[in-house]
Amino acid sequence: MEKLDNEIQRSFDTIKTMEQLETFRIHIIGKKGKLTTYFSALRDLDEVSKKSVAQKLNALKSTFETLYEEKKQILTTLELNAKLEQEYIDVSLFNTLHSRSFGHPITQVLDRIIDYFVNMSFSIQSGPLVEDDFHNFEALNLPKFHPARDMQDTFYFKDSFLLRTHTSPVQIRTMESHSLPIRVIAPGSVFRRDYDLTHSPMFHQVEGLVVDEAGKISFANLKFILEDFLRYIFGDVRVRFRASFFPFTEPSAEVDISCVFCDGAGCRVCSHTGWLEVLGCGVVHSNVFKAVGYENVSGYAFGLGVERFAMLLHRVNDLRSFFETDLRVLEQF
Ligand code: PHE
C-alpha cells in the first residue's frame, strides 16, 4: 500500500494529458485497477486486520480522488486554452466597412446639394448626355465660330452630336417643354477633353434655372439663394460675387467663397488670394429666351462643379482619386 501511495503521488506529477489521466485512473481504480484488487483482497483478511486495512485503503482512495480531481481541473483548463488558441475567429474577415455602403463621396456631396434646392422648392430635371449642337451651344448664345466655344474642349461625334460639355443644355430643354414659372436644378455628368489634378474628362455639374414673368426675378434673388446655399454647404464662409462673362447670362458673375483652408488669410490652395471660385451664374441672356421662343420673362441661372465642392469639403487635392475606384481612398468617406 505504501508503494502504491508513492506511485500515485509521483504519477500525477508526470501526467500531461487527459488521455494519460484516464489511463492512470483505470490503472488504479478501474475494474482491474491496483486499488480495486486491493479492495477485493480484503475479504481474505480476518475481521481485525480487515478493518484497519480498509481504513488505509479508503484513505488512499480519497487521496487518489482528490489528486485526480485537481489534475482533471488543471488539464481541462489547459486543453480549453489550447483549443481557444487554435480555433480563433478572424473577426477582420467580416470588416463592416466592406459590407456597408455609404455612397460614393461625389454622390454624398451631390445629395447634400440637391437637399438644399429641393427644400427651396426647386424640382429636378435631367437631359441627355449626348447632345446636339443647338442645345449645348447655339441656343445658349454660342453661335458657330463664337470664340467662347474654345473655353470648352468638346468631344464630338459625327453630324454635330457631342458629349455635353455642361448641364446648361438642360436649361434649354426645360424651357422648351415647360411653362412658367420654372424653378429647377439639373444635376448630371458632363464631359470635356481635360485631364490633370483638377480636371477629369467626365465630371458632374448642377445647373440651376429660375424663370418667371418679366420683372419678377432679379439678380438680387440669385444673390440671396447662392449665398444661403454656399453657407449651407461650406458653413461660416464669406461669399463674393465677381463680375465675369458667360455667353448665356448678362450680367454674369463668378462666385467666390473665403478660402476654407486658411479662412481668407491666403495659402497655396487659394493661390494666396484668400478666395476660392466655386460657381458661375448670371441673369439669363435675352438671346437664350429668344432661342426657346420666350417673351416678357426674366430669370437667373447658375452652374457648379460637384467634384470641386467635394475636393474643398474633403480636402482632396487630386480630383482623379474620386474615379480611380481605389478602396483605400473611397473607404475614408
Ligand atoms: N455652364 C457654365 C460652365 O460650365 C456654368 C454656368 C451655368 C454659368 C449657368 C452661368 C450660368 O462653366
Side-chain angles (χ1 to χ4, degrees):
M1 281 197 308
E2 229 165 81
K3 256 174 86 185
L4 186 57
D5 191 21
N6 275 335
E7 186 187 346
I8 288 174
Q9 306 277 0
R10 267 187 293 105
S11 297
F12 272 116
D13 285 342
T14 62
I15 288 173
K16 293 264 156 15
T17 67
M18 285 295 244
E19 227 177 311
Q20 289 170 357
L21 183 66
E22 178 61 5
T23 311
F24 187 58
R25 189 190 65 82
I26 294 166
H27 176 63
I28 302 298
I29 56 165
K31 266 195 188 130
K32 290 174 185 163
K34 278 191 173 166
L35 205 50
T36 317
T37 43
Y38 283 10
F39 273 108
S40 14
L42 276 177
R43 71 183 117 124
D44 302 328
L45 298 178
D46 60 66
E47 285 308 308
V48 184
S49 30
K50 193 188 264 177
K51 205 175 167 191
S52 73
V53 173
Q55 245 171 26
K56 283 184 187 157
L57 282 179
N58 277 325
L60 197 52
K61 192 177 176 197
S62 86
T63 308
F64 173 84
E65 280 169 354
T66 315
L67 291 174
Y68 174 83
E69 283 307 323
E70 257 173 33
K71 196 75 192 184
K72 193 173 161 189
Q73 195 101 62
I74 292 168
L75 290 178
T76 313
T77 316
L78 280 178
E79 288 195 0
L80 183 67
N81 285 344
K83 221 172 168 183
L84 285 174
E85 193 99 344
Q86 271 179 10
E87 302 177 356
Y88 70 95
I89 294 170
D90 182 357
V91 289
S92 71
L93 284 174
F94 308 103
N95 188 342
T96 50
L97 274 176
H98 288 294
S99 53
R100 274 171 74 190
S101 167
F102 297 97
H104 191 279
I106 296 301
T107 311
Q108 288 179 34
V109 172
L110 187 55
D111 283 347
R112 195 164 157 73
I113 294 170
I114 290 173
D115 270 353
Y116 175 83
F117 287 106
V118 167
N119 280 323
M120 283 299 195
S121 70
F122 281 68
S123 59
I124 298 176
Q125 286 293 316
S126 61
L129 306 187
V130 177
E131 264 297 3
D132 51 50
D133 188 88
F134 176 76
H135 290 92
N136 197 82
F137 291 129
E138 198 85 32
L140 288 163
N141 197 28
L142 270 150
K144 300 220 165 47
F145 310 115
H146 191 291
R149 283 198 181 198
D150 293 343
M151 278 161 56
Q152 309 187 341
D153 290 308
T154 312
F155 289 108
Y156 284 100
F157 296 99
K158 279 186 286 190
D159 308 327
S160 85
F161 284 103
L162 46 86
L163 286 175
R164 70 179 184 190
T165 55
H166 49 179
T167 42
S168 300
V170 188
Q171 286 187 36
I172 306 302
R173 292 189 176 274
T174 304
M175 289 190 279
E176 283 172 339
S177 57
H178 288 69
S179 50
L180 300 187
I182 286 170
R183 193 174 173 82
V184 297
I185 52 164
S189 13
V190 299
F191 307 84
R192 292 183 196 174
R193 290 175 26 183
D194 253 336
Y195 188 68
D196 61 33
L197 269 185
T198 53
H199 297 89
S200 136
M202 187 281 302
F203 61 104
H204 299 82
Q205 286 189 333
V206 176
E207 191 82 8
L209 177 69
V210 173
V211 184
D212 209 337
E213 289 160 17
K216 279 198 177 175
I217 305 294
S218 73
F219 200 96
N221 303 132
L222 170 66
K223 191 160 183 277
F224 168 81
I225 202 125
L226 288 183
E227 278 179 1
D228 192 48
F229 163 66
L230 289 171
R231 293 210 181 91
Y232 174 80
I233 298 289
F234 291 105
D236 192 19
V237 289
R238 290 176 297 288
V239 178
R240 168 173 96 170
F241 284 69
R242 188 165 34 77
S244 184
F245 171 80
F246 297 102
F248 29 91
T249 47
E250 182 59 37
S252 304
E254 280 172 306
V255 183
D256 302 336
I257 56 170
S258 51
C259 181
V260 291
F261 297 94
C262 63
D263 195 26
C267 66
R268 242 188 45 208
V269 182
C270 60
S271 309
H272 304 281
T273 61
W275 295 95
L276 298 164
E277 186 203 318
V278 288
L279 51 80
C281 65
V283 169
V284 179
H285 198 290
S286 56
N287 285 352
V288 174
F289 288 137
K290 243 181 239 158
V292 294
Y294 273 27
E295 279 170 16
N296 299 319
V297 296
S298 57
Y300 67 71
F302 60 85
L304 63 88
V306 183
E307 280 74 8
R308 177 146 177 80
F309 273 48
M311 287 174 81
L312 296 176
L313 284 171
H314 295 303
R315 282 142 214 258
V316 170
N317 52 27
D318 186 346
L319 176 149
R320 295 169 293 193
S321 59
F322 286 132
F323 303 118
E324 280 165 356
T325 63
D326 184 337
L327 282 180
R328 289 168 305 179
V329 173
L330 297 179
E331 270 176 2
Q332 294 176 48
F333 301 92

